[in-house]
Amino acid sequence: MKKVLLTGISGYIGLHCAAELLQQGYAVKGSVRSLSKAEKLTDTITKFVDPKGKLEFCELDLLKDDAWDEAVSDCDFVMHVASPFFSKIPKDENELIKPAVEGTQRALKAAHKAGIKRVVLTSSMVAMLGDVKGDENIDQNSWTEVNAKNATAYLKSKTLAEKSAWEFVKEKDMELVTIHPGPVYGPSLSDDLSGESMTLFKRIMTGELKQMIHASINMSDVRDVAKIHVLALENEQATGQRLIVATERAHSYQEITELLKTKGYEKVSTKVAPNFMVKFLANFNSEMKGMMPYVGKKYEGSVMASKNIFNWEPIPFDKMVLDTAKSVENVLNSEC
């Protein structure tokens, strides 16, 4: 039985990766910042798949060397999902960049030392946005220019972390595959709505969010993202690939609200904020400032490589949106 070190198992994507790995017969060692989370995470995962004794946990910190070598010592693969993310602009961009880059390096160094052949790394489409001016057709060869005017700390963190990974494996006997989702939605495996994806849908569905930004990009279903992470572990064609895992075309945030409105979510607002207003508010609001790489812009990524390598079809946009809404609705109803 092959074992995978899965970093960031407690996150939105991490939980789905854990469930998918277990369903496909892998043993999972999930990293957490505190082992106090282990029991709750086991209970959450067990609701969707029986671990059958193949789930364990270890304690790792992206900013500390402690325990990384021990964590990978009995594993066959590393799936490095853990990376900090929040939409607000931090006062110090290194709050995002440092753990992203250093965590990636720690995962790769430990894997190499343990003789692990392949690492699958969660990157993002935000590492592929060119000069961050929009109307960009992006593919496996696209990179975000980190010195671009609108390159935020998050864009820099994902781009620099991925670049450091490719640089690391260049002269090593190691294989790297990077997975690039767009904004990730889809049902949550937990009842935690505090993450960026679930929070957005909660705010839309409760009517708290009165206007959406005008922006379009390929969006990703978390179930697809987890599936491709797992398939990439042993698919030879995936070796050395940067794989976009998302819808086949770009979608706007207004499409989300309009779909929800037509399906009976009455509190949803379908209004779109004028670009000039968002840009003005960005001068005073760190969350608005974090949206500036996308406001008034369209980024369209090609998923052909992923489709061909894995004989995969993305989950339809409508299903992704409605399944996300249902997941959020279930949690909100249980809190009543």
Side-chain angles (χ1 to χ4, degrees):
M1 183 192 308
K2 296 178 180 179
K3 183 185 290 188
V4 181
L5 173 66
L6 170 60
T7 68
I9 190 173
S10 63
Y12 178 43
I13 295 175
L15 278 171
H16 275 272
C17 285
E20 184 70 15
L21 283 165
L22 291 166
Q23 286 173 342
Q24 298 306 319
Y26 292 92
V28 176
K29 182 187 286 187
S31 82
V32 289
R33 281 178 289 183
S34 171
L35 287 174
S36 63
K37 296 180 178 180
E39 184 177 354
K40 184 176 181 181
L41 288 170
T42 301
D43 291 343
T44 298
I45 292 168
T46 303
K47 292 176 183 176
F48 298 91
V49 58
D50 182 358
K52 297 179 180 177
K54 297 185 293 184
L55 176 63
E56 61 184 290
F57 297 89
C58 62
E59 200 168 287
L60 293 174
D61 189 318
L62 296 177
L63 291 171
K64 295 180 180 178
D65 291 330
D66 304 348
W68 281 89
D69 289 347
E70 180 183 353
V72 300
S73 62
D74 59 345
C75 293
D76 301 283
F77 302 99
V78 170
M79 189 178 288
H80 184 50
V81 179
S83 185
F85 171 65
F86 42 88
S87 58
K88 294 180 180 180
I89 301 292
K91 291 182 179 179
D92 180 358
E93 64 180 14
N94 283 313
E95 289 179 33
L96 280 173
I97 296 172
K98 188 175 180 181
V101 174
E102 291 188 9
T104 297
Q105 288 294 301
R106 286 185 170 89
L108 288 166
K109 287 176 182 177
H112 181 253
K113 188 174 181 180
I116 289 174
K117 182 74 171 175
R118 181 173 295 195
V119 174
V120 175
L121 171 70
T122 311
S123 187
S124 171
M125 281 182 67
V126 303
M128 297 172 149
L129 301 186
D131 57 7
V132 201
K133 292 182 178 179
D135 294 325
E136 189 88 19
N137 290 318
I138 61 182
D139 59 25
Q140 290 180 291
N141 299 312
S142 303
W143 284 97
T144 293
E145 173 52 63
V146 296
N147 294 318
K149 179 182 177 181
N150 287 325
T152 62
Y154 180 62
L155 271 63
K156 292 177 184 179
S157 74
K158 298 303 289 187
T159 306
L160 294 172
E162 190 196 342
K163 282 192 171 184
S164 77
W166 287 114
E167 188 64 32
F168 182 88
V169 302
K170 187 186 298 183
E171 297 179 1
K172 303 285 194 307
D173 184 25
M174 285 181 72
E175 297 173 353
L176 178 66
V177 184
T178 57
I179 308 299
H180 296 255
V184 182
Y185 304 110
S188 174
L189 296 189
S190 74
D191 58 1
D192 181 9
L193 299 182
S194 64
E196 296 284 341
S197 300
M198 295 296 104
T199 295
L200 175 66
F201 265 74
K202 178 183 177 181
R203 294 179 66 199
I204 290 172
M205 293 164 61
T206 59
E208 178 187 344
L209 199 57
K210 305 298 184 185
Q211 296 177 314
M212 298 298 288
I213 64 169
H214 175 62
S216 298
I217 191 170
N218 305 66
M219 299 186 185
S220 304
D221 191 299
V222 68
R223 294 165 291 191
D224 279 335
V225 175
K227 178 179 181 178
I228 300 302
H229 270 77
V230 176
L231 290 175
L233 289 173
E234 299 190 67
N235 186 302
E236 287 303 314
Q237 294 181 65
T239 305
Q241 301 284 348
R242 304 175 72 221
L243 299 168
I244 298 174
V245 180
T247 51
E248 293 194 69
R249 68 170 181 85
H251 290 272
S252 70
Y253 285 93
Q254 189 178 20
E255 286 180 70
I256 293 177
T257 58
E258 288 178 343
L259 175 59
L260 292 176
K261 194 74 170 183
T262 63
K263 295 298 180 179
Y265 291 94
E266 296 178 356
K267 295 180 181 179
V268 172
S269 170
T270 59
K271 294 180 180 178
V272 177
N275 294 340
F276 75 86
M277 184 178 76
V278 179
K279 293 176 181 178
F280 174 74
L281 292 174
N283 294 311
F284 316 99
N285 184 295
S286 62
E287 187 172 355
M288 289 288 188
K289 190 174 182 180
M291 296 176 183
M292 290 313 298
Y294 318 105
V295 174
K297 298 170 185 175
K298 179 179 181 179
Y299 298 100
E300 190 135 39
S302 171
V303 298
M304 287 307 299
S306 300
K307 289 183 65 175
N308 292 337
I309 289 171
F310 302 108
N311 191 26
W312 161 76
E313 289 294 330
I315 291 172
F317 173 78
D318 286 15
K319 179 173 174 56
M320 178 195 73
V321 171
L322 296 176
D323 286 356
T324 310
K326 186 63 177 177
S327 179
V328 172
E329 187 177 33
N330 289 341
V331 175
L332 294 176
N333 287 341
S334 69
E335 293 175 349
C336 294

